[in-house]
Amino acid sequence: MTMRVRRLMAVALFAIIAVAVCAYVVVHQIGQNIPLRLPPVARDCVVNAGNASVNATGDATGEVELGAEQLANAATITAVGLTRKVPQRGLVIALATAWQESKLENLTGGDRDSIGLFQQRPSQGWGRPDQIADPRYAANAFYTALLKIKGWQQMRITDAAQQVQRSAHPEAYDKWVDESEIMARALSGDVTGAVACGPAETTSHGPDAVRSLGASLKLDWGTVSTADVANLAGVALKVREPKAGWQYAHWLVAHAQDNGVKRVVFAGLQWTAESGAWAHVTERGGIDAGPAGERVVAEVY
């Protein structure tokens, strides 16, 4: 055996040992529940509907923790329902269904030919694959089917969802009712300062972010009046009542990562991406929100 062959064999043996050691470390860490050093991900978001000083109606209260993508999809589902004037119970049914079917993630596949947030199937008449993959189309399709069901508002949440979905697990939707009620209350504006997300990286900045934000608003809310904000990059939305203002404000936070939003100001409160929380406005920092409760202002990076 030549010296060169011996060297090649030694190198190959060393590589095999190195791979085996790395595999052992990974398996050992997973088995011990020790987190691996993976690339950083966006901090989770929180939806809090438990502020009794804001709304003491006796409805569901508490917190829901979820990822930025999940929250953005939930906000879109809710916005589509609100523009169609779907009663809040319908919003809860839609959110509970999406929780169960996709964990509020816009999946590219699933069981057989299922696609998207609601795992709708082209073969069952829900639409083309590219249509179902659009969260807004999917939400509209779900609401259209729900509203056709006679007596759906008197049904249990899981029964109404099952009437639409025809799932092999008809009771599965019931386990997401509490979370969905909290989400629906917050995203429909019944609670103030209830949606918050922590710092996250964004690829949208300046004029591109303003255009992206305006386009996303119109996709989710239809015709919405926006205006430029003096001395900063951002948009302002005029509202007639606080509830509508909080619908927009919470939607803006939910979609902050997608559209480069770094601050939202409404009714004397502001959310910042840096803090990840709502607080009373002490210094507007260049944002003129106008008379309290009349404009929601979003500043982008």
Side-chain angles (χ1 to χ4, degrees):
M1 186 180 294
T2 65
M3 181 64 70
R4 184 179 179 184
V5 172
R6 289 194 184 97
R7 286 178 179 172
L8 290 174
M9 291 180 64
V11 170
L13 180 60
F14 177 81
I16 293 171
I17 293 172
V19 170
V21 169
C22 290
Y24 170 79
V25 170
V26 170
V27 173
H28 179 71
Q29 284 185 306
I30 293 174
Q32 296 297 319
N33 293 321
I34 299 173
L36 299 174
R37 291 186 175 275
L38 299 174
V41 295
R43 187 183 301 176
D44 284 346
C45 302
V46 175
V47 178
N48 186 335
N51 190 344
S53 65
V54 174
N55 192 317
T57 63
D59 295 326
T61 61
E63 283 190 354
V64 177
E65 295 185 6
L66 67 173
E69 178 190 354
Q70 292 174 300
L71 179 58
N73 287 327
T76 289
I77 291 170
T78 304
V80 170
L82 289 171
T83 60
R84 294 187 58 167
K85 302 187 185 306
V86 175
Q88 191 166 103
R89 188 169 182 81
L91 307 180
V92 174
I93 295 169
L95 290 169
T97 302
W99 268 111
Q100 171 59 26
E101 297 291 351
S102 69
K103 297 300 183 289
L104 288 169
E105 296 175 356
N106 195 24
L107 303 178
T108 57
D111 178 41
R112 287 170 284 189
D113 58 338
S114 299
I115 298 171
L117 290 172
F118 296 91
Q119 289 291 277
Q120 294 155 333
R121 298 178 59 194
S123 63
Q124 300 300 309
W126 285 101
R128 300 190 311 270
D130 62 306
Q131 291 176 316
I132 299 172
D134 177 0
R136 298 158 185 98
Y137 176 93
N140 262 309
F142 179 87
Y143 287 124
T144 296
L146 176 67
L147 296 175
K148 289 179 180 178
I149 298 171
K150 185 177 180 180
W152 67 268
Q153 292 196 62
Q154 287 72 49
M155 296 179 182
R156 292 191 306 153
I157 299 296
T158 193
D159 291 339
Q162 172 64 2
Q163 286 290 311
V164 177
Q165 298 296 108
R166 303 296 181 181
S167 168
H169 306 282
E171 294 293 324
Y173 307 103
D174 191 58
K175 64 186 176 185
W176 301 107
V177 171
D178 289 345
E179 290 89 342
S180 299
E181 287 181 344
I182 292 169
M183 300 274 285
R185 286 191 63 215
L187 292 169
S188 61
D190 286 343
V191 190
T192 67
V195 175
C197 291
E201 293 184 3
T202 179
T203 58
S204 297
H205 299 82
D208 288 341
V210 174
R211 285 190 290 270
S212 171
L213 182 57
S216 294
L217 280 163
K218 289 180 180 179
L219 284 172
D220 277 16
W221 295 97
T223 302
V224 57
S225 178
T226 62
D228 294 334
V229 185
N231 303 320
L232 59 83
V235 297
L237 296 90
K238 190 171 183 179
V239 295
R240 297 180 180 178
E241 58 175 352
K243 182 173 181 175
W246 284 112
Q247 290 173 5
Y248 287 134
H250 289 156
W251 182 96
L252 287 163
V253 174
H255 284 274
Q257 184 175 341
D258 297 342
N259 299 288
V261 177
K262 73 182 227 180
R263 178 163 46 161
V264 179
V265 178
F266 180 62
L269 294 174
Q270 72 173 3
W271 167 87
T272 64
E274 181 179 3
S275 68
W278 287 90
H280 289 285
V281 177
T282 53
E283 296 181 7
R284 295 191 181 275
I287 288 187
D288 178 15
E294 290 189 7
R295 292 207 310 171
V296 182
V297 177
E299 180 184 8
V300 302
Y301 283 99

